Amino acid sequence: MTMFHFFNCAILTFGPHAVYYSATPLSEYDTLGTSVKAALVYLGTALVKLVCLATFLKVSENDGFDPYQELLKAVIGFIDVAGLYFALTQLTHRNISQNHKFQAVGLGWAFADSVLHRLAPLWVGARGLEFTWDFILQGLEANANLVLSISLAALGSLMWLRKNKPKTLIPIIYACAGIVATMPSITSYLRQGLGWHFPKVVGFELFTSLSMAFISWQLFSACQRPSS
């Protein structure tokens, strides 16, 4: 039963990444190499973030919400944006379209995040004797993160790779990218500042991820239309 629960949670956490790759044109254009490169960039970015957090953040004596600490975390979190910029603009990719490039980068980015932050807790906790919903919720949270990562990659692609985008959409693109990039700080505030329980936070993440995916899709479609 314990291994069955572990495999169910693992499929829920990592399965959507494989489904997305195989169900979209990414598999037809063999973009796996791009996703692997993006995952490696994510690991390097995570290491830089870890060093910065260990250097600049103080060890909190309580679990309360500290605005200064959370603001510093949000600033350090923008290292992810720098890493995503590097993955989208500096890495050598196969001869694939911009549409497939940002999806492959976002997919690799999200998969590396799930492996780094959820694999070890899943392996240790989901094999326990007592059933808990926490790891199922973590799987749903990984799905929300997958959608948010691809949305952020799409917005980054519009910011850094598309030159002829409508000027009226530029502030909206940057605002949406800022919201997605600061989602960890937003969810931290909901947990520690407002006292939201984990299921409610995950529900918020799922709703926000779907909303940002819809907005990003609309912005990407609008930028692809020929200018009149």
Side-chain angles (χ1 to χ4, degrees):
M1 180 64 184
T2 56
M3 289 302 296
F4 181 72
H5 181 48
F6 166 76
F7 282 119
N8 280 338
C9 294
I11 291 172
L12 178 62
T13 303
F14 302 107
H17 301 78
V19 171
Y20 187 92
Y21 180 81
S22 60
T24 61
L26 295 182
S27 57
E28 298 176 11
Y29 289 91
D30 192 21
T31 59
L32 183 61
T34 297
S35 295
V36 171
K37 291 178 182 178
L40 293 176
V41 172
Y42 174 85
L43 294 177
T45 304
L47 180 60
V48 174
K49 283 175 57 181
L50 182 63
V51 172
C52 292
L53 290 172
T55 302
F56 298 109
L57 287 185
K58 299 177 182 179
V59 178
S60 179
E61 297 179 356
N62 52 56
D63 295 331
F65 183 81
D66 187 340
Y68 173 75
Q69 294 283 84
E70 292 302 324
L71 179 61
L72 195 56
K73 285 182 183 179
V75 173
I76 294 174
F78 275 92
I79 295 175
D80 279 335
V81 179
L84 200 59
Y85 170 82
F86 180 83
L88 284 170
T89 63
Q90 302 301 315
L91 291 180
T92 56
H93 303 279
R94 290 173 56 93
N95 188 22
I96 57 177
S97 67
Q98 181 183 351
N99 187 22
H100 297 136
K101 181 190 296 184
F102 84 77
Q103 292 184 70
V105 169
L107 180 63
W109 198 268
F111 182 76
D113 178 83
S114 292
V115 170
L116 189 63
H117 293 103
R118 297 177 179 87
L119 181 59
L122 191 63
W123 176 255
V124 174
R127 292 164 57 244
L129 295 179
E130 294 185 6
F131 174 83
T132 174
W133 286 96
D134 287 347
F135 300 104
I136 295 177
L137 292 172
Q138 284 186 18
L140 294 175
E141 188 179 41
N143 295 338
N145 182 69
L146 170 62
V147 178
L148 287 171
S149 295
I150 295 176
S151 298
L152 183 57
L155 295 169
S157 177
L158 293 178
M159 289 188 294
W160 304 315
L161 300 180
R162 185 167 290 278
K163 305 300 182 184
N164 58 342
K165 49 186 173 288
K167 292 183 179 180
T168 55
L169 296 180
I170 293 177
I172 302 175
I173 293 172
Y174 277 86
C176 291
I179 293 173
V180 177
T182 54
M183 272 298 294
S185 296
I186 295 173
T187 55
S188 177
Y189 172 72
L190 294 177
R191 289 175 181 173
Q192 300 178 6
L194 299 183
W196 283 23
H197 296 295
F198 190 37
K200 192 174 181 180
V201 173
V202 172
F204 171 80
E205 290 178 312
L206 290 171
F207 173 77
T208 304
S209 65
L210 294 176
S211 301
M212 295 310 302
F214 177 76
I215 295 172
S216 301
W217 174 58
Q218 292 293 328
L219 290 171
F220 202 88
S221 299
C223 291
Q224 283 186 320
R225 298 191 192 109
S227 57
S228 56

